[in-house]
Amino acid sequence: MTIEELETRARQVRRLVIQMLAKAASGHPGGSLSAADLVTALYANVLRFDPANPRWPQRDRFHMSKGHCCPVWYAVLALHGFFPQEELFTLRQRGSILQGHPDRKTPGVESASGSLGQGLAIALGMSLAARIDKLDYRVYCLLGDGELQEGSVWEAAMACAHFSCDNLCAIVDANGCQIDGRCEDVMGLEPLAAKWQAFGWQVIEINGHDFKQILAAYAQAQTIKNKPTVIIARTVKGKGVSFMEGVVGFHGRAPTADEAERALKELA
């Protein structure tokens, strides 16, 4: 997709996120909206996959470690034909293929997630499996910045560098907020780039809402050899909806019907 097409698609994704969460009256809009551009670009222009054969062995792998933000992932999967878009509006309902956190009953989902701090280790396993199976797929793992306060993330980061996992790219949705407040107030993360560098990673810092920078970062990651890459994407919680942007309260609160109507007007 062109930059203009990606921008249009990302607005569509954000609209679907708002509609899904309002219908469910439950879920996490803030982090879904902040990650929309990153996930949109990844699926539209980077990942190798086949919606008709979600378990195709040569497919690239994507794992959403911050599983509570799965609405943005579901929206992108539906738009790429993994399942009908009507399914989006069954989110969080009993019997739905779209749970509040991802699991393997959803076409296109590789592994369950939601318990923070585990995703990078899962991505490490996928990366090493490619080497063992002599396959050339790449692995992408989306993490939240608040999630980086989990010690298990850094254990996995150390192992990824030790095993020279150059087919692995971590993406940090660094929106500065978590459910308990600003990340810097709960447990400061900076200097974030220096930490990843010290653990042996190639670091790329970008504006996570600039598609030129996003695509350039994904392209650069594919050229790095003998070490994993992390893209630190500086984003805005609730991006695209003015009254949600940077507001901690929308981490885990779905929009009301009135709020959804206002948000959809802004995203038109």
Side-chain angles (χ1 to χ4, degrees):
M1 287 187 174
T2 65
I3 298 298
E4 182 177 326
E5 288 169 338
L6 287 169
E7 290 171 345
T8 299
R9 172 60 62 87
R11 283 196 301 275
Q12 184 182 13
V13 167
R14 287 186 167 95
R15 286 177 60 85
L16 287 171
V17 167
I18 294 297
Q19 291 170 319
M20 293 160 61
L21 294 175
K23 175 73 162 49
S26 177
H28 298 76
S32 293
L33 295 174
S34 66
D37 301 316
L38 299 167
V39 181
T40 294
L42 188 64
Y43 272 83
N45 286 32
V46 181
L47 285 186
R48 185 172 57 184
F49 59 86
D50 180 1
N53 183 14
R55 298 297 172 192
W56 176 44
Q58 298 288 347
R59 70 192 181 281
D60 290 330
R61 272 64 165 174
F62 173 70
H63 182 62
M64 179 170 278
S65 186
K66 58 170 205 163
H68 57 282
C69 295
C70 58
V72 69
W73 191 11
Y74 296 159
V76 170
L77 287 173
L79 289 171
H80 282 279
F82 281 86
F83 50 83
Q85 291 186 40
E86 294 75 29
E87 292 285 348
L88 294 174
F89 305 106
T90 69
L91 175 70
R92 289 179 171 248
Q93 295 178 22
R94 187 180 299 276
S96 173
I97 63 168
L98 305 179
Q99 298 299 299
H101 292 80
D103 67 32
R104 283 167 58 90
K105 73 172 62 175
T106 304
V109 172
E110 301 287 346
S111 179
S113 64
S115 182
L116 297 177
Q118 298 180 2
L120 190 58
I122 292 171
L124 167 61
M126 294 176 181
S127 170
L128 294 176
R131 184 179 302 173
I132 293 168
D133 295 336
K134 295 182 171 54
L135 296 173
D136 67 350
Y137 64 76
R138 293 185 58 79
V139 181
Y140 296 83
C141 181
L142 181 67
L143 304 111
D145 47 357
E147 181 179 7
L148 301 187
Q149 296 161 357
E150 301 266 2
S152 53
V153 172
W154 299 102
E155 292 181 62
M158 183 166 52
C160 292
H162 175 78
F163 290 110
S164 303
C165 294
D166 55 10
N167 64 340
L168 191 155
C169 177
I171 308 155
V172 179
D173 180 16
N175 60 36
C177 298
Q178 59 192 100
I179 196 166
D180 292 324
R182 302 287 304 177
C183 293
E184 62 186 358
D185 297 326
V186 177
M187 180 67 70
L189 296 164
E190 301 296 346
L192 193 53
K195 285 184 171 72
W196 285 97
Q197 288 170 346
F199 273 74
W201 287 60
Q202 178 72 32
V203 178
I204 306 171
E205 287 196 79
I206 63 169
N207 174 344
H209 302 304
D210 183 319
F211 279 109
K212 289 183 180 179
Q213 293 187 34
I214 293 169
L215 294 177
Y218 286 145
Q220 182 182 345
Q222 293 177 343
T223 69
I224 303 302
K225 301 301 181 184
N226 301 315
K227 64 170 67 175
T229 298
V230 59
I231 298 171
I232 300 174
R234 304 293 180 175
T235 60
V236 176
K237 194 92 163 184
K239 178 67 176 180
V241 180
S242 61
F243 58 89
M244 292 186 182
E245 290 188 354
V247 178
V248 172
F250 279 104
H251 175 97
R253 180 176 76 76
T256 64
D258 287 344
E259 288 170 338
E261 184 178 356
R262 289 171 56 199
L264 292 172
K265 286 180 180 178
E266 291 190 15
L267 292 166

